[in-house]
């Protein structure tokens, strides 16, 4: 304990002696920096805020951005076409299901009449027909659900492709602005302000595109599940 107290005392004396050597007259007038004889250290941001802003995003070449943009636009058009076709197929499946449901209802009505009339041959025939129609109706339910899931998935892919196109279009503008600022080699506030705004749009668009892509991937899982149920229902038709 004594040794520890002695150590603290020696360190305190050394600090005070150092302080007095730096401030021989106890000067604390305006402009003096107590404990900082050489002034404040320089900012570690060597390029200033403009330099840091320019380092936020490293642009790809205009040719690369244009190539990716053309691919994205082609994917978007393909997704639009696939979605339109999926809407047609989903509507067709719903129509088939409605027709089969009405046919089954008619068959069940005829079967009840045959039972009341105690017409055994008609009862046997209509019972088998009702079973067949019910199996087909269940299949058409699975078909409708699969088509609807496919339609939702393709719609999600269409939206994701559009978001990707938008992100690349903004990136093209941001890359041009980046090169303009570098070429001008100046720190005009208007340039950096507009560039910062472009970068915010760019990364917001990229986030949106990534979110939409994840959503589209999730929809594909739902489609796969519905297709498996459709196949299961189809297999029962042949039994």
């Amino acid at each position: 304990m004594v040794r520890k107290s002695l150590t603290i005392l020696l360190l305190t004396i050394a600090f005070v002696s150092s302080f007095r050597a730096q401030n021989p007259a106890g000067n604390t007038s305006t402009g003096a920096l107590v404990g900082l004889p050489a002034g404040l250290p320089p900012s570690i941001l060597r390029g200033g805020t403009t330099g840091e802003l320019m380092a936020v995003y490293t642009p790809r070449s205009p040719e690369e951005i244009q190539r990716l943009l053309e691919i994205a636009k082609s994917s978007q058009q393909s997704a639009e076409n696939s979605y339109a076709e999926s809407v047609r197929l989903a509507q067709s499946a719903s129509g088939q299901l409605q027709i089969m449901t009405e046919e089954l209802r008619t068959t069940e009505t005829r079967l009840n009449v045959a039972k009341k009339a105690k017409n055994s041959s008609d009862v046997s025939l209509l019972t088998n027909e009702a079973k067949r129609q019910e199996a087909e109706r269940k299949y058409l339910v699975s078909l409708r659900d699969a088509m609807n899931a496919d339609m939702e998935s393709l719609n999600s892919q269409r939206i994701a492709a559009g978001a990707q196109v938008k992100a690349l279009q903004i990136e093209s503008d941001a890359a041009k602005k980046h090169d303009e600022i570098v070429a001008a080699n100046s720190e005009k506030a208007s340039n950096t302000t507009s560039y910062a705004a472009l970068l915010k749009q760019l990364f917001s668009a990229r986030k949106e595109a990534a979110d939409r892509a994840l959503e589209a991937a999730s929809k594909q899982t739902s489609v796969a599940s519905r297709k498996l149920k459709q196949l299961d229902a189809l297999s029962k038709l042949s039994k």
Side-chain angles (χ1 to χ4, degrees):
M1 180 66 72
V2 173
R3 181 176 298 176
K4 184 177 180 181
S5 300
L6 181 58
T7 301
I8 294 173
L9 177 60
L10 290 173
L11 288 173
T12 303
I13 292 172
F15 175 78
V16 173
S17 298
S18 175
F19 176 78
R20 286 179 178 175
Q22 295 170 10
N23 299 271
N27 187 3
T28 57
S29 60
T30 302
L33 298 174
V34 177
L36 294 172
L40 292 171
S43 172
I44 63 171
L45 304 181
R46 299 297 176 83
T49 54
T50 300
E52 292 298 315
L53 178 62
M54 300 303 290
V56 170
Y57 161 68
T58 301
R60 292 182 274 199
S61 68
E63 295 77 16
E64 177 66 7
I65 295 175
Q66 185 59 35
R67 184 183 70 82
L68 293 173
L69 184 55
E70 289 174 0
I71 293 173
K73 286 182 176 180
S74 178
S75 297
Q76 182 183 26
Q77 186 58 55
S78 177
E80 291 283 357
N81 294 338
S82 296
Y83 172 67
E85 178 64 11
S86 72
V87 171
R88 186 188 70 78
L89 292 174
Q91 291 174 343
S92 176
S94 294
Q96 285 181 279
L97 175 60
Q98 182 177 358
I99 291 172
M100 179 54 69
T101 299
E102 291 173 356
E103 287 184 357
L104 177 60
R105 188 179 296 117
T106 299
T107 299
E108 289 174 339
T109 299
R110 292 175 62 192
L111 177 59
N112 288 333
V113 171
K115 286 180 177 179
K116 289 179 180 178
K118 297 182 179 180
N119 188 331
S120 58
S121 60
D122 283 357
V123 168
S124 177
L125 179 66
L126 290 170
T127 296
N128 290 333
E129 180 66 6
K131 288 180 179 179
R132 180 188 67 80
Q133 290 179 339
E134 175 61 21
E136 290 185 5
R137 190 193 70 80
K138 288 181 178 179
Y139 167 71
L140 289 173
V141 168
S142 68
L143 174 63
R144 179 204 59 190
D145 292 345
M147 290 297 99
N148 285 338
D150 197 41
M151 179 179 65
E152 291 179 8
S153 175
L154 288 168
N155 184 48
S156 185
Q157 290 178 38
R158 177 179 66 89
I159 293 171
Q164 181 65 14
V165 168
K166 180 181 177 181
L168 286 166
Q169 288 172 334
I170 296 174
E171 182 177 1
S172 179
D173 293 338
K176 290 176 183 177
K177 189 66 176 178
H178 180 281
D179 291 344
E180 288 174 6
I181 296 175
V182 171
N185 194 25
S186 65
E187 294 192 23
K188 288 179 62 176
S190 58
N191 282 340
T192 54
T193 299
S194 60
Y195 182 58
L198 260 178
L199 289 184
K200 286 183 179 180
Q201 291 179 38
L202 172 59
F203 290 113
S204 293
R206 282 185 172 181
K207 181 180 182 302
E208 176 71 14
D211 288 343
R212 298 290 76 80
L214 286 173
E215 183 178 339
S218 176
K219 295 286 186 181
Q220 288 180 330
T221 301
S222 177
V223 171
S225 296
R226 291 295 184 184
K227 291 290 186 181
L228 288 171
K229 290 182 179 179
Q230 178 188 351
L231 289 171
D232 183 56
L234 183 59
S235 68
K236 294 177 181 178
L237 292 180
S238 59
K239 294 180 180 180

